[in-house]
Amino acid sequence: MNSRFDPPRGVFTLPTPCELANPFWDVIKTSEYFTLQRTKASNINSFYRGFIGTIQNVFDTKQPPFRIIFRAEFTSVSLQIAVSQTEKGINEAWKWIEDNLFLGLTKLDDPSEKENYVVTKINSLVTRQDKGTDEVSEDESVRSASRAFRQTFDIAPTERLVNFYSCAYRGIIQGWMYISENYLCFYAFMLGHETKIFIELKDIQDLVKERSKRGMVADSIKVITKSGQEHFFSNLFHRDETYETLMQLIIQSMQRLLKNAAIEPAPGRFIFDSNFEPSPEKEKSELKFNNSELPLSPMIPPLRKDLEERKRDIEFQTFFNLPATEHLMEECSCDFSTTEMKESLSGKLQLSEGYLTFVADDAKSCSFVLPLYTVRRVERINSGTHNSALSILNWHQMKLTLQINGHKIAFEKFCNTIRENLKNQVRHMKNLRSFLGTCFSEALLVDPKKDISIGGLGLIFGFPGDVKKLRDRYKTKLWIEYLQTNGRNLTLIKFPYFSKLVRVGLPNKLRGEIWELCSGAIFLRFVNDGMYEKLQKDNAGKVSLSTEEIEKDLNRSLPEYPAYQTKEGINTLRRVLTAYSWKDPELGYCQAMNIVASAILIYMSEEQAFWTLSVLCDRLIPGYYSTSMYGAILDQIIFEHYVQNKMPLLYEHFQNVDVQLSVACLPWFLSLYINSMPLLFAFRVLDCFFMEGPRVLFQIGLGKKNLYFQRWILSSNNCTNL
């Protein structure tokens, strides 16, 4: 018998074991297989209602007042399959059960088959209705807490709960803190008195770790909202975990808010193509796909676990400048050594789908990123006291010894994972030889005296500065010695001397490759071989708002450099900028991108510059060149805060003369200082920027402000005022 109406939404739950005989529940109706119950708290006097509510609050057992239970015949444990806040909702669920399950149950004789039948039907229903919500979470406690959270605060089922903690509000009201994707909530019910706190994460201005019990216990967090309200939560036994979770979610919420604040459409979305004709077959196939029934959703892990893994992966990708497609699969401590090293270094070994990485314990002594497609051979070795050791021979014939510390089972798991990952990278190895032919360091080590034509516009139009004054030959000699000993391009190992060589200034012909290597763009260029040319070919003849804006800015891109006074230089810049606008139509093109691209093209080929620009926009300085410039705006707020704290007199001076620092300094950050100082100095800034990351922008900015402050404070007028 088929139901004439759809099952009620938000009522059925994944089957959960529970006790049928419970003193807090009354039976409303019953059948051969099912029982409908109502909580006693809904029909007793106010004193007992408050007492029961207090118990439920303390033990986090608050449930909706109605539920339906399936009674298993061969076990004493029953299964809760539906809950509801209203009698109407639970009666609709009961009617649906009668119409859809009773007939099937009567045809079965085995009690275990009956239970499997009900569990399968309800699981199928819930996974269809509640796809992507906490109702299909693997964690039963998350399902229960999320249901209580959504019902208490009237939150949509699509809002997922991240975590929940027992805590006290203002030190005296014991209850539960709920943290979801967009909200921070608190609920308490003590002897008839209800307390509800509801805060949107985007409205939180500050989050501070505090101490309670007169400063004796570090178990508290103070939340300050934009309206000035302060909320104090204590008795948090996982205070640091709570703080880190909230910070991660607040940052994500703020980024979404700023990203969506754009008042203009995405520039790459409006496209005109003179050669484009719509395909009726494609339109029909898209309509057919959109109308097709979605597959059933499996059980999903709790959002907390997903956030933890995402945070771990982002930290891993950011530290080693890896593509966003890489995920941390294995991690262990190990001792690393090569044939050139006098002693081994202890550190952390990490493995992703395509890369093996190492960083010393002090994060300074040594680090490397080894693409698995550059590995020639991996062997197990017996290394004295270490039975768990690997010897790796890379493409450049360097032998790396990794003595892995830990249990043998963990070592075997690591070996199995790296074996499978190496098999998956075989398809990339065939392209390695041709790719290395585009790397300047390969040709440099073969014949340092040979005139090598691998690089950017500087090879044709000259590099800025005097080669002799820059001591370019001497720097090149030092780099040759380093690369011969410690690998090059894809197999380079970074020791402290590497950072020193970068800081003293890179040789002109090697600069582009080191920028590409430090930023991680070299990895993207390798795995996306041919994509740059394909973008050019596929989008030939197309026009968008981005391409129109690019044409306006081409002749304003480093006009002092001779290449951009010629068609060759302008065409090179045009191709790189337009290719990126087609790669990322959501971002398209923004002013100042032309300045950055024209600068790096002096030292890089078109393809190198394209992927370096991609890394800049997507990872190093995300949001700088979007329509809302949310990344640059956030950094300007932080920079202004730094100036206020480090140089309060200068900050006060700017305030008095009505100069807004965030506006005055924005061009510095957008152009990476290329337009704010002589080119030779700007390229030295870029050397450090690609090696150390965006913090260099703040360091240089504070340095410039400090120089201005010294000049200002020494001037006679200001000395008199002070």
Side-chain angles (χ1 to χ4, degrees), residues 358-371:
F358 173 83
V359 59
D361 289 333
D362 61 3
K364 296 179 180 180
S365 300
C366 176
S367 69
F368 69 75
V369 176
L370 182 67

Side-chain angles (χ1 to χ4, degrees), residues 587-605:
L587 189 152
Y589 171 78
C590 176
Q591 283 188 341
M593 287 175 67
N594 62 312
I595 303 298
V596 176
S598 60
I600 61 179
L601 274 169
I602 297 174
Y603 299 96
M604 290 180 162
S605 67

Side-chain angles (χ1 to χ4, degrees), residues 38 67 120 161-162 253 282-283 286 390-391 400 406 476 531 563 573 638 691 696 706:
R38 178 177 62 194
R67 70 177 182 177
T120 301
L161 185 68
V162 176
S253 177
K282 184 177 180 181
E283 292 180 0
E286 288 177 351
L390 293 176
S391 174
L400 316 180
T476 302
M531 182 177 178
L573 179 60
I638 296 170
M691 182 178 66
V696 171
N706 188 43

Side-chain angles (χ1 to χ4, degrees), residues 468-641:
K468 291 184 178 180
K469 290 183 179 179
L470 293 173
R471 305 182 71 187
D472 206 69
R473 287 187 179 180
Y474 178 68
K475 292 176 184 178
T476 302
K477 181 181 177 181
L478 294 178
W479 273 101
I480 290 174
E481 294 174 357
Y482 185 89
L483 298 176
Q484 286 174 336
T485 307
N486 303 301
R488 53 194 181 274
N489 46 69
L490 292 171
T491 64
L492 184 75
I493 301 174
K494 297 177 183 177
F495 291 102
Y497 191 54
F498 173 85
S499 301
K500 184 178 179 180
L501 288 175
V502 173
R503 288 194 180 96
V504 299
L506 291 166
N508 286 324
K509 292 184 179 180
L510 193 60
R511 176 169 268 147
E513 183 177 318
I514 299 299
W515 285 357
E516 186 185 30
L517 176 65
C518 289
S519 66
I522 193 171
F523 305 129
L524 285 175
R525 184 164 70 92
F526 179 83
V527 297
N528 294 284
D529 184 40
M531 182 177 178
Y532 176 70
E533 290 79 7
K534 188 175 187 301
L535 283 169
Q536 297 283 355
K537 182 179 178 181
D538 292 349
N539 296 284
K542 294 182 181 179
V543 178
S544 69
L545 292 179
S546 292
T547 59
E548 293 175 356
E549 292 299 316
I550 289 169
E551 291 299 324
K552 295 177 184 177
D553 289 343
L554 286 175
N555 292 316
R556 294 181 286 188
S557 307
L558 289 190
E560 66 270 32
Y561 185 68
Y564 301 114
Q565 304 298 324
T566 67
K567 287 186 178 180
E568 182 179 355
I570 292 295
N571 289 337
T572 300
L573 179 60
R574 178 188 289 112
R575 287 192 292 270
V576 171
L577 292 174
T578 53
Y580 183 79
S581 72
W582 298 124
K583 173 185 175 290
D584 187 358
E586 186 68 30
L587 189 152
Y589 171 78
C590 176
Q591 283 188 341
M593 287 175 67
N594 62 312
I595 303 298
V596 176
S598 60
I600 61 179
L601 274 169
I602 297 174
Y603 299 96
M604 290 180 162
S605 67
E606 289 184 33
E607 190 177 16
Q608 285 179 312
F610 170 78
W611 288 112
T612 303
L613 187 63
S614 297
V615 169
L616 278 169
C617 297
D618 299 342
R619 180 167 50 77
L620 289 178
I621 45 176
Y624 266 49
Y625 306 117
S626 65
T627 51
S628 63
M629 295 195 299
Y630 67 91
I633 292 172
L634 275 177
D635 281 356
Q636 289 311 297
I637 294 172
I638 296 170
F639 181 69
E640 190 168 347
H641 182 71

Side-chain angles (χ1 to χ4, degrees), residues 630-654:
Y630 67 91
I633 292 172
L634 275 177
D635 281 356
Q636 289 311 297
I637 294 172
I638 296 170
F639 181 69
E640 190 168 347
H641 182 71
Y642 275 143
V643 174
Q644 184 178 7
N645 287 343
K646 302 295 183 182
M647 290 170 274
L649 288 176
L650 181 62
Y651 179 80
E652 184 180 351
H653 168 66
F654 281 123

Side-chain angles (χ1 to χ4, degrees), residues 300-512:
I300 59 176
L303 186 57
R304 176 187 70 253
K305 183 179 179 182
D306 180 58
L307 283 173
E308 290 172 354
E309 291 179 353
R310 193 186 312 169
K311 180 183 178 183
R312 184 189 63 178
D313 289 339
I314 290 175
E315 290 176 348
F316 172 63
Q317 295 161 7
T318 302
F319 187 86
F320 292 105
N321 295 308
L322 296 176
T325 53
E326 296 300 310
H327 305 91
L328 184 58
M329 301 176 69
E330 298 290 340
E331 184 177 36
C332 59
S333 63
C334 85
D335 296 329
F336 164 67
S337 63
T338 67
T339 54
E340 301 292 335
M341 294 170 60
K342 296 180 180 179
E343 57 182 16
S344 62
L345 291 171
S346 298
K348 182 165 59 177
L349 188 68
Q350 296 173 303
L351 177 67
S352 68
E353 292 89 344
Y355 300 88
L356 181 69
T357 67
F358 173 83
V359 59
D361 289 333
D362 61 3
K364 296 179 180 180
S365 300
C366 176
S367 69
F368 69 75
V369 176
L370 182 67
L372 296 182
Y373 44 79
T374 64
V375 174
R376 289 181 180 268
R377 187 172 64 249
V378 180
E379 295 177 332
R380 295 192 188 199
I381 58 174
N382 186 358
S383 180
T385 57
H386 294 78
N387 295 322
S388 304
L390 293 176
S391 174
I392 298 178
L393 184 69
N394 67 25
W395 180 266
H396 293 123
Q397 301 297 328
M398 287 185 62
K399 188 176 181 181
L400 316 180
T401 302
L402 303 170
Q403 299 174 341
I404 298 176
N405 306 317
H407 199 276
K408 187 176 181 180
I409 296 176
F411 175 68
E412 293 296 332
K413 184 172 181 289
F414 186 92
C415 290
N416 292 334
T417 305
I418 195 172
R419 183 187 299 114
E420 291 302 315
N421 290 2
L422 282 167
K423 290 179 182 178
N424 295 332
Q425 296 299 316
V426 171
R427 67 185 189 277
H428 291 306
M429 294 179 181
K430 61 182 181 181
N431 301 324
L432 187 56
R433 189 179 299 276
S434 60
F435 176 83
L436 293 178
T438 66
C439 296
F440 177 79
S441 59
E442 290 291 320
L444 179 66
L445 295 190
V446 173
D447 187 358
K449 296 181 180 180
K450 185 179 179 180
D451 191 15
I452 305 166
S453 58
I454 299 175
L457 294 172
L459 295 173
I460 303 171
F461 298 94
F463 296 102
D466 188 324
V467 175
K468 291 184 178 180
K469 290 183 179 179
L470 293 173
R471 305 182 71 187
D472 206 69
R473 287 187 179 180
Y474 178 68
K475 292 176 184 178
T476 302
K477 181 181 177 181
L478 294 178
W479 273 101
I480 290 174
E481 294 174 357
Y482 185 89
L483 298 176
Q484 286 174 336
T485 307
N486 303 301
R488 53 194 181 274
N489 46 69
L490 292 171
T491 64
L492 184 75
I493 301 174
K494 297 177 183 177
F495 291 102
Y497 191 54
F498 173 85
S499 301
K500 184 178 179 180
L501 288 175
V502 173
R503 288 194 180 96
V504 299
L506 291 166
N508 286 324
K509 292 184 179 180
L510 193 60
R511 176 169 268 147

